[in-house]
Amino acid sequence: DAGVIQSPRHEVTEMGQEVTLRCKPISGHNSLFWYRQTMMRGLELLIYFNNNVPIDDSGMPEDRFSAKMPNASFSTLKIQPSEPRDSAVYFCASTVVTRQGNEKLFFGSGTQLSVL
Amino acid sequence: QKEVEQNSGPLSVPEGAIASLNCTYSDRGSQSFFWYRQYSGKSPELIMSIYSNGDKEDGRFTAQLNKASQYVSLLIRDSQPSDSATYLCAVNPKNTGNQFYFGTGTSLTVIP
């Protein structure tokens, strides 16, 4: 199993540019989460999808942020226009429901975003 | 009030000692509890999950849950320098189909 795959691993861009982060969840997982991690605020949930449908986007900081999940194997998080305060590590995660009916969250390797 | 609270540390223990990490949560109806380990520059890695009151042991790790006190802890026995990392507590208020709330993490350093 390849795990949750994110790209790019690192992104350096200038303020005002559009940034697109990509995620491929683990095959068979039906929920996908986007988190942002900073030293000051820790891990923050931005949005999550269940069966490709956005369920809770209350964590999306502003209209500059948008996320899509066009199919079960792909999701994007877009920031347009980007600002220096968006600099953080962005994690994608997906969940599987165990035989006991419990849910476990698995993370991708993250995208380190630096907005200059 | 934050959903999940942890001591940020840093916590330092000598090699071979027991490291004790603690976490409290606010939603009394929470059902699922997790401990993640995160090495510097890496992603969180699930190391323990616990769903019922009591202790759950996995190798050198023991998770303890007390729902009445809304408290979950992680004990690491025979601590090794390789255990040095940030440990994140996570809570899933509903067992499935809901978001996972994370604490800010406790930094652990095991001194050789």
Side-chain angles (χ1 to χ4, degrees):
Chain A
D1 195 333
V4 178
I5 300 173
Q6 290 187 248
S7 64
R9 290 296 305 273
H10 304 275
E11 177 79 30
V12 180
T13 190
E14 293 186 346
M15 182 173 64
Q17 296 298 305
E18 177 178 298
V19 174
T20 299
L21 311 180
R22 296 173 176 79
C23 176
K24 176 180 168 55
I26 296 171
S27 178
H29 286 200
N30 63 350
S31 293
L32 181 142
F33 299 72
W34 282 101
Y35 285 89
R36 176 172 69 177
Q37 187 176 42
T38 60
M39 287 294 292
M40 291 296 295
R41 301 172 69 92
L43 263 174
E44 301 175 279
L45 177 66
L46 301 177
I47 185 171
Y48 80 95
F49 297 82
N50 193 34
N51 293 323
N52 313 339
V53 176
I55 302 300
D56 184 353
D57 66 354
S58 60
M60 297 286 261
E62 303 170 30
D63 290 345
R64 298 185 296 107
F65 286 69
S66 62
K68 294 182 180 179
M69 192 166 185
N71 57 61
S73 59
F74 184 66
S75 177
T76 60
L77 177 67
K78 185 177 293 187
I79 309 172
Q80 165 64 21
S82 59
E83 297 183 4
R85 59 193 169 118
D86 301 330
S87 298
V89 180
Y90 290 79
F91 288 108
C92 177
S94 65
T95 61
V96 62
V97 179
T98 66
R99 285 184 295 176
Q100 293 75 25
N102 301 314
E103 201 164 1
K104 295 187 176 182
L105 187 68
F106 295 92
F107 284 84
S109 54
T111 295
Q112 172 75 60
L113 173 65
S114 298
V115 183
L116 307 177
Chain B
Q1 180 185 4
K2 292 185 179 179
E3 299 282 348
V4 180
E5 302 225 29
Q6 295 180 253
N7 256 343
S8 61
L11 175 66
S12 294
V13 299
E15 184 174 355
I18 296 175
S20 178
L21 305 164
N22 305 313
C23 172
T24 58
Y25 59 94
S26 60
D27 187 333
R28 186 170 287 277
S30 297
Q31 299 291 322
S32 306
F33 308 86
F34 308 89
W35 283 99
Y36 286 80
R37 178 177 61 200
Q38 186 174 24
Y39 293 114
S40 179
K42 301 296 185 182
S43 59
E45 173 194 10
L46 178 64
I47 56 172
M48 289 288 286
S49 58
I50 187 166
Y51 306 99
S52 53
N53 278 328
D55 294 1
K56 178 182 178 182
E57 187 175 316
D58 184 0
R60 294 185 297 110
F61 298 97
T62 299
Q64 300 175 317
L65 175 61
N66 184 327
K67 289 186 178 180
S69 301
Q70 295 174 238
Y71 176 93
V72 58
S73 65
L74 179 70
L75 301 178
I76 307 174
R77 290 184 301 281
D78 188 23
S79 296
Q80 301 296 308
S82 59
D83 295 326
S84 299
T86 295
Y87 289 80
L88 300 166
C89 174
V91 174
N92 185 344
K94 298 177 185 177
N95 214 26
T96 60
N98 206 339
Q99 60 176 281
F100 292 73
Y101 294 102
F102 282 83
T104 52
T106 298
S107 175
L108 172 66
T109 300
V110 180
I111 304 168

mmCIF file of all heavy atoms in Angstrom, chain B residues 72-94:
data_model
loop_
_atom_site.group_PDB
_atom_site.id
_atom_site.type_symbol
_atom_site.label_atom_id
_atom_site.label_comp_id
_atom_site.label_asym_id
_atom_site.label_seq_id
_atom_site.Cartn_x
_atom_site.Cartn_y
_atom_site.Cartn_z
ATOM 1 N N VAL B 72 -6.892 10.989 28.711
ATOM 2 C CA VAL B 72 -6.222 9.883 28.039
ATOM 3 C C VAL B 72 -4.721 10.120 28.139
ATOM 4 O O VAL B 72 -4.259 11.275 28.058
ATOM 5 C CB VAL B 72 -6.697 9.758 26.570
ATOM 6 C CG1 VAL B 72 -6.457 11.020 25.779
ATOM 7 C CG2 VAL B 72 -6.060 8.573 25.882
ATOM 8 N N SER B 73 -3.990 9.055 28.367
ATOM 9 C CA SER B 73 -2.550 9.194 28.531
ATOM 10 C C SER B 73 -1.805 8.145 27.717
ATOM 11 O O SER B 73 -2.389 7.156 27.275
ATOM 12 C CB SER B 73 -2.158 9.089 30.007
ATOM 13 O OG SER B 73 -2.450 7.790 30.483
ATOM 14 N N LEU B 74 -0.534 8.409 27.530
ATOM 15 C CA LEU B 74 0.349 7.470 26.834
ATOM 16 C C LEU B 74 1.587 7.277 27.689
ATOM 17 O O LEU B 74 2.238 8.263 28.061
ATOM 18 C CB LEU B 74 0.748 8.004 25.463
ATOM 19 C CG LEU B 74 1.694 7.112 24.652
ATOM 20 C CD1 LEU B 74 0.979 5.849 24.178
ATOM 21 C CD2 LEU B 74 2.269 7.870 23.450
ATOM 22 N N LEU B 75 1.880 6.024 28.008
ATOM 23 C CA LEU B 75 3.097 5.695 28.724
ATOM 24 C C LEU B 75 4.057 4.997 27.770
ATOM 25 O O LEU B 75 3.652 4.105 27.018
ATOM 26 C CB LEU B 75 2.792 4.762 29.905
ATOM 27 C CG LEU B 75 1.819 5.275 30.963
ATOM 28 C CD1 LEU B 75 1.593 4.213 32.026
ATOM 29 C CD2 LEU B 75 2.339 6.554 31.586
ATOM 30 N N ILE B 76 5.302 5.426 27.810
ATOM 31 C CA ILE B 76 6.341 4.779 27.013
ATOM 32 C C ILE B 76 7.348 4.189 27.985
ATOM 33 O O ILE B 76 8.044 4.919 28.702
ATOM 34 C CB ILE B 76 7.036 5.771 26.055
ATOM 35 C CG1 ILE B 76 5.999 6.515 25.202
ATOM 36 C CG2 ILE B 76 8.031 5.034 25.156
ATOM 37 C CD1 ILE B 76 6.595 7.611 24.334
ATOM 38 N N ARG B 77 7.405 2.874 28.034
ATOM 39 C CA ARG B 77 8.347 2.195 28.941
ATOM 40 C C ARG B 77 9.696 2.039 28.263
ATOM 41 O O ARG B 77 9.798 1.997 27.028
ATOM 42 C CB ARG B 77 7.808 0.822 29.317
ATOM 43 C CG ARG B 77 6.601 0.846 30.220
ATOM 44 C CD ARG B 77 6.194 -0.582 30.612
ATOM 45 N NE ARG B 77 5.900 -1.373 29.426
ATOM 46 C CZ ARG B 77 4.760 -1.292 28.758
ATOM 47 N NH1 ARG B 77 3.813 -0.462 29.146
ATOM 48 N NH2 ARG B 77 4.558 -2.058 27.694
ATOM 49 N N ASP B 78 10.741 1.963 29.078
ATOM 50 C CA ASP B 78 12.097 1.767 28.549
ATOM 51 C C ASP B 78 12.363 2.747 27.400
ATOM 52 O O ASP B 78 12.717 2.352 26.285
ATOM 53 C CB ASP B 78 12.270 0.321 28.069
ATOM 54 C CG ASP B 78 13.700 -0.009 27.680
ATOM 55 O OD1 ASP B 78 14.622 0.680 28.174
ATOM 56 O OD2 ASP B 78 13.896 -0.922 26.855
ATOM 57 N N SER B 79 12.187 4.025 27.683
ATOM 58 C CA SER B 79 12.316 5.058 26.651
ATOM 59 C C SER B 79 13.670 4.985 25.959
ATOM 60 O O SER B 79 14.707 4.770 26.601
ATOM 61 C CB SER B 79 12.139 6.441 27.278
ATOM 62 O OG SER B 79 10.838 6.592 27.789
ATOM 63 N N GLN B 80 13.637 5.180 24.651
ATOM 64 C CA GLN B 80 14.834 5.156 23.826
ATOM 65 C C GLN B 80 15.031 6.522 23.163
ATOM 66 O O GLN B 80 14.061 7.233 22.910
ATOM 67 C CB GLN B 80 14.700 4.082 22.750
ATOM 68 C CG GLN B 80 14.480 2.679 23.284
ATOM 69 C CD GLN B 80 15.669 2.201 24.098
ATOM 70 O OE1 GLN B 80 16.810 2.256 23.633
ATOM 71 N NE2 GLN B 80 15.400 1.739 25.325
ATOM 72 N N PRO B 81 16.255 6.874 22.850
ATOM 73 C CA PRO B 81 16.479 8.141 22.130
ATOM 74 C C PRO B 81 15.634 8.248 20.860
ATOM 75 O O PRO B 81 15.216 9.354 20.488
ATOM 76 C CB PRO B 81 17.977 8.103 21.820
ATOM 77 C CG PRO B 81 18.563 7.295 22.938
ATOM 78 C CD PRO B 81 17.534 6.232 23.224
ATOM 79 N N SER B 82 15.342 7.124 20.221
ATOM 80 C CA SER B 82 14.520 7.140 19.008
ATOM 81 C C SER B 82 13.062 7.498 19.282
ATOM 82 O O SER B 82 12.299 7.739 18.342
ATOM 83 C CB SER B 82 14.586 5.783 18.302
ATOM 84 O OG SER B 82 14.124 4.760 19.170
ATOM 85 N N ASP B 83 12.688 7.529 20.572
ATOM 86 C CA ASP B 83 11.325 7.952 20.921
ATOM 87 C C ASP B 83 11.215 9.478 20.978
ATOM 88 O O ASP B 83 10.112 10.008 21.135
ATOM 89 C CB ASP B 83 10.925 7.387 22.295
ATOM 90 C CG ASP B 83 10.831 5.872 22.299
ATOM 91 O OD1 ASP B 83 10.444 5.291 21.259
ATOM 92 O OD2 ASP B 83 11.160 5.264 23.352
ATOM 93 N N SER B 84 12.332 10.164 20.866
ATOM 94 C CA SER B 84 12.309 11.623 20.903
ATOM 95 C C SER B 84 11.518 12.150 19.707
ATOM 96 O O SER B 84 11.886 11.921 18.549
ATOM 97 C CB SER B 84 13.738 12.182 20.873
ATOM 98 O OG SER B 84 14.475 11.750 22.000
ATOM 99 N N ALA B 85 10.435 12.834 19.984
ATOM 100 C CA ALA B 85 9.511 13.299 18.948
ATOM 101 C C ALA B 85 8.440 14.135 19.624
ATOM 102 O O ALA B 85 8.435 14.294 20.843
ATOM 103 C CB ALA B 85 8.865 12.108 18.220
ATOM 104 N N THR B 86 7.525 14.648 18.824
ATOM 105 C CA THR B 86 6.327 15.297 19.363
ATOM 106 C C THR B 86 5.182 14.300 19.300
ATOM 107 O O THR B 86 4.988 13.638 18.273
ATOM 108 C CB THR B 86 5.978 16.555 18.559
ATOM 109 O OG1 THR B 86 7.024 17.519 18.718
ATOM 110 C CG2 THR B 86 4.667 17.170 19.047
ATOM 111 N N TYR B 87 4.450 14.195 20.399
ATOM 112 C CA TYR B 87 3.339 13.253 20.478
ATOM 113 C C TYR B 87 2.028 14.026 20.482
ATOM 114 O O TYR B 87 1.807 14.906 21.313
ATOM 115 C CB TYR B 87 3.484 12.373 21.725
ATOM 116 C CG TYR B 87 4.626 11.398 21.570
ATOM 117 C CD1 TYR B 87 5.940 11.814 21.788
ATOM 118 C CD2 TYR B 87 4.406 10.090 21.144
ATOM 119 C CE1 TYR B 87 7.009 10.936 21.600
ATOM 120 C CE2 TYR B 87 5.465 9.209 20.964
ATOM 121 C CZ TYR B 87 6.760 9.641 21.186
ATOM 122 O OH TYR B 87 7.812 8.780 21.001
ATOM 123 N N LEU B 88 1.178 13.692 19.540
ATOM 124 C CA LEU B 88 -0.096 14.371 19.356
ATOM 125 C C LEU B 88 -1.237 13.477 19.829
ATOM 126 O O LEU B 88 -1.310 12.307 19.446
ATOM 127 C CB LEU B 88 -0.314 14.710 17.876
ATOM 128 C CG LEU B 88 0.726 15.614 17.226
ATOM 129 C CD1 LEU B 88 0.591 15.577 15.713
ATOM 130 C CD2 LEU B 88 0.576 17.034 17.716
ATOM 131 N N CYS B 89 -2.106 14.047 20.620
ATOM 132 C CA CYS B 89 -3.317 13.364 21.058
ATOM 133 C C CYS B 89 -4.448 13.779 20.113
ATOM 134 O O CYS B 89 -4.556 14.964 19.760
ATOM 135 C CB CYS B 89 -3.624 13.782 22.492
ATOM 136 S SG CYS B 89 -5.172 13.172 23.170
ATOM 137 N N ALA B 90 -5.260 12.832 19.710
ATOM 138 C CA ALA B 90 -6.378 13.140 18.811
ATOM 139 C C ALA B 90 -7.639 12.464 19.314
ATOM 140 O O ALA B 90 -7.594 11.358 19.861
ATOM 141 C CB ALA B 90 -6.064 12.692 17.385
ATOM 142 N N VAL B 91 -8.751 13.135 19.117
ATOM 143 C CA VAL B 91 -10.040 12.635 19.574
ATOM 144 C C VAL B 91 -11.036 12.710 18.423
ATOM 145 O O VAL B 91 -11.100 13.727 17.715
ATOM 146 C CB VAL B 91 -10.548 13.485 20.770
ATOM 147 C CG1 VAL B 91 -11.952 13.073 21.168
ATOM 148 C CG2 VAL B 91 -9.600 13.368 21.943
ATOM 149 N N ASN B 92 -11.792 11.643 18.240
ATOM 150 C CA ASN B 92 -12.876 11.635 17.269
ATOM 151 C C ASN B 92 -14.185 11.640 18.049
ATOM 152 O O ASN B 92 -14.544 10.638 18.654
ATOM 153 C CB ASN B 92 -12.780 10.401 16.374
ATOM 154 C CG ASN B 92 -13.810 10.399 15.253
ATOM 155 O OD1 ASN B 92 -14.776 11.145 15.284
ATOM 156 N ND2 ASN B 92 -13.577 9.584 14.260
ATOM 157 N N PRO B 93 -14.887 12.776 18.084
ATOM 158 C CA PRO B 93 -16.080 12.870 18.932
ATOM 159 C C PRO B 93 -17.148 11.847 18.581
ATOM 160 O O PRO B 93 -17.817 11.327 19.447
ATOM 161 C CB PRO B 93 -16.571 14.295 18.680
ATOM 162 C CG PRO B 93 -15.388 15.037 18.204
ATOM 163 C CD PRO B 93 -14.586 14.047 17.415
ATOM 164 N N LYS B 94 -17.336 11.580 17.317
ATOM 165 C CA LYS B 94 -18.227 10.520 16.893
ATOM 166 C C LYS B 94 -17.377 9.454 16.239
ATOM 167 O O LYS B 94 -16.418 9.777 15.568
ATOM 168 C CB LYS B 94 -19.267 11.051 15.916
ATOM 169 C CG LYS B 94 -20.174 12.108 16.490
ATOM 170 C CD LYS B 94 -21.131 12.631 15.438
ATOM 171 C CE LYS B 94 -21.956 13.787 15.994
ATOM 172 N NZ LYS B 94 -22.852 14.351 14.960
#
